[in-house]
Amino acid sequence: VMSIEQLIKILTPPGTPVFVPTEADWLAVEAEVGTSLPIDYKHFISTFGSVYIDKFMGIYNPFATNQYLNFLKASKVQSDVLR
């Protein structure tokens, strides 16, 4: 498992991350999804915000306004598809 510190050495965070949450924001999201989210995921989002890696892979962020990167919107769509 790679730590956020190790990841930062190979993937430079943006100077100003987009859609970085507060602790209260995380609590609201976790209440909505009904579970705690992994701390490494929360560190990633807090460090990088909404990001596409190498213009190829987007990381879901529950605070993104982009519907294709928003964790909450995407998880609802995927849940509906699987039903």
Side-chain angles (χ1 to χ4, degrees), residues 73-83:
K73 290 178 184 175
S75 63
K76 288 177 185 169
V77 168
Q78 291 172 4
S79 178
D80 290 344
V81 167
L82 293 172
R83 289 179 193 198

Side-chain angles (χ1 to χ4, degrees), residues 18-53:
V18 179
F19 304 119
V20 175
T22 65
E23 184 59 31
D25 295 330
W26 281 120
L27 291 173
V29 166
E30 291 173 334
E32 185 170 341
V33 298
T35 190
S36 296
L37 296 170
I39 192 70
D40 55 345
Y41 170 72
K42 292 165 54 172
H43 282 161
F44 182 92
I45 297 299
S46 294
T47 302
F48 291 91
S50 288
V51 63
Y52 271 104
I53 298 172

Side-chain angles (χ1 to χ4, degrees), residues 2-29:
M2 183 180 288
S3 71
I4 192 74
E5 292 78 16
Q6 292 170 312
L7 181 61
I8 289 170
K9 289 180 183 178
I10 60 170
L11 183 65
T12 305
T16 306
V18 179
F19 304 119
V20 175
T22 65
E23 184 59 31
D25 295 330
W26 281 120
L27 291 173
V29 166

